Amino acid sequence: MATLVTDKPQWTTAPSAYKALKEHFAQHPEELPAFTNPYDVSRSDIYVEDRWQPIFAKMRAEGPLHYIAESPFGPHWNVVGHKAIQHIESLPELFSSSWEYGGITILNRLDDEEVIARGGERFELPMFIAMDRPKHTGQRRTVAPKFTPGEITKMEGEVRQRTGELLDTLPYGEVFDWVDKVSIELTTGMLAILFDFPWEDRRLLTFWSDWAGDTELALVRDLDEQRQGILREMAGYFQMLWADRAQKEGGNDLISMMVHSPAMNQMDPQEFMGNLVLLIVGGNDTTRNTMSGIIHAFDKFPDQRKLFEENPDLIPNAVQECIRYQTPLAHMRRTATEDTEVFGNKIAKGDKLVLWYLSANRDEEVFENPDKLDITRENARRHISFGYGIHRCVGARLAELQLRILLEEMHKRRMRVHVAGDVERVRANFVHGFRKMEVELTKF
Ligand code: HEM
């Protein structure tokens, strides 16, 4: 495992993104965004309080697209139907992912412009998730070889060993936080291995990922300086790792692979950095929140937990169903490059379309009884949690592997996890998951 290549960065002593945001709004309640439209699902309270389901269901019943003229994130379309999202994602020229139009989250590019107007600097890390063809194709191709079925199979032994070892350290008869002890530990550990990232610093990955992926935090101007400082430091840290790997031949971690691949050598350093950050952020909150989501869903549907305990053959399908049910990223965003029409709705060039995966995965037209967890569901695989089309998640197989092994190793140990205390959800409209979940273990 690699060792530390830099001094401890100054910003790592900063509070977590969550804490910073909470403290900010406690001091400035007048800045809490105001929401007037009941269909404005950009409001994060409905996610933290887990009451988004009926709002989306009502919207779906009325149609797949809804225009929100005013919101703290600016005007946008809510796309809530499974079919409509697939339709939009299958036309990447017409519906762009490019950062030049605003990228892939509900945030505005305007928010950046405001930072500059206030004398700040734009912080841009180009990443291929926020690029269109042909650039996207070339850059995706350079990292995709690390995620082929063959490569994933090679990782299985190590993932299984680490997962088993961690499960063996968990206490019985004692309440503990599953998010911290299991979900965060397993996902940051996986990424640290993938990148040969300094092991003792692996929690920095969680810290950075939280600061980078929080859409609400990006609206708070008073936190700009802190946020940008943290992101710059993250970039600096990766730059040092990159320089370190560039000097060594033959490493088979993802950074060495990228540094020594002819295609990547031609990439400018900012883009290289951006893509590293994409892999870290992409693989972090998402898998982490599914690991917590599985436990929460099994506790809510004990009949399904029993089915899993009695039928380990159902594990691969249970993984798909849990990813559907949890939907770790609530949305992705596209921007129209031309005037067009989608299912009878007139879309103007420049319009922002927010694709609510959270809603598509509960679409009654595709999933029967969608609000129920059903690990025998025949079409669970039709979930859209990994997106669709040319940007479909490159790490999907790795995430599926980690989740399958977690369930298999829990089953091997006859481990049953009960929710036994506080459950705190993420207050955000992008990352959908759990900040804390107190649990207790028994055996089945
Ligand atoms: C349950 C876990 C995960 C979920 C739900 C998830 C979800 C997503 C989604 C929704 C997208 C965008 C798809 C689109 O725009 O159509 C995406 C893209 C991406 N994800 Fe994941 N992801 C997960 C795990 C991972 C992991 C483990 C990695 C890598 C270590 C990863 C790396 C990426 C990358 C690099 C992209 C960009 C792909 C592109 O633009 O071509 N993800 N992911």
Side-chain angles (χ1 to χ4, degrees), residues 134-172:
K135 222 168 168 191
H136 164 261
T137 319
Q139 297 202 357
R140 179 174 167 120
R141 226 175 251 156
T142 56
V143 301
K146 190 74 183 168
F147 300 95
T148 58
E151 283 297 315
I152 299 296
T153 308
K154 278 192 219 155
M155 292 182 215
E156 175 152 357
E158 190 167 10
V159 174
R160 189 174 297 287
Q161 188 188 338
R162 268 185 350 98
T163 307
E165 280 170 8
L166 182 86
L167 292 182
D168 287 338
T169 65
L170 299 177
Y172 280 77

Side-chain angles (χ1 to χ4, degrees), residues 359-397:
S359 175
N361 282 343
R362 302 291 174 103
D363 190 335
E364 305 71 4
E365 284 187 13
V366 179
F367 303 107
E368 202 178 307
N369 207 354
D371 290 328
K372 178 170 177 0
L373 183 84
D374 173 4
I375 65 171
T376 64
R377 189 184 291 282
E378 281 182 5
N379 67 352
R381 274 194 167 274
R382 284 194 65 197
H383 73 73
I384 207 172
S385 298
F386 291 123
Y388 186 76
I390 64 166
H391 286 280
R392 187 177 188 274
C393 178
V394 88
R397 283 196 201 97

Side-chain angles (χ1 to χ4, degrees), residues 89 97 104 128-131 136 140 143 147 191 194-195 254 275 278-284 286-288 290 323 327-329 331-332 334 355 357 384-396 398-400 402-403:
E89 290 216 55
S97 293
I104 47 100
F128 66 84
I129 196 169
M131 288 178 194
H136 164 261
R140 179 174 167 120
V143 301
F147 300 95
L191 289 172
L194 212 55
F195 289 96
L254 202 45
N275 285 326
L278 164 62
L279 286 157
I280 298 291
V281 177
N284 210 332
T286 50
T287 318
R288 178 207 312 180
T290 316
I323 298 174
T327 314
L329 290 180
H331 77 262
M332 282 279 149
R334 299 293 186 262
L355 316 177
Y357 296 149
I384 207 172
S385 298
F386 291 123
Y388 186 76
I390 64 166
H391 286 280
R392 187 177 188 274
C393 178
V394 88
L398 178 61
E400 287 164 356
Q402 289 175 269
L403 298 166

Side-chain angles (χ1 to χ4, degrees), residues 12 147 208 210 274 327 439:
T12 51
F147 300 95
W208 289 331
D210 284 349
T327 314
V439 300

Side-chain angles (χ1 to χ4, degrees), residues 36-109:
T36 45
N37 185 333
Y39 283 173
D40 183 357
V41 283
S42 71
R43 56 188 309 157
S44 58
D45 54 344
I46 61 174
Y47 306 104
V48 78
E49 291 161 17
D50 195 34
R51 53 184 181 83
W52 48 272
Q53 300 85 341
I55 307 173
F56 280 107
K58 202 154 175 256
M59 265 197 274
R60 279 195 306 275
E62 287 170 21
L65 272 79
H66 297 262
Y67 191 67
I68 305 296
E70 273 178 47
S71 93
F73 296 88
H76 58 272
W77 290 92
N78 281 332
V79 186
V80 296
H82 193 279
K83 209 166 155 188
I85 292 180
Q86 284 193 339
H87 171 79
I88 289 166
E89 290 216 55
S90 63
L91 296 168
E93 268 78 35
L94 191 53
F95 301 106
S96 166
S97 293
S98 176
W99 58 273
E100 290 166 280
Y101 303 120
I104 47 100
T105 74
I106 194 169
L107 281 170
N108 289 328
R109 192 162 162 76

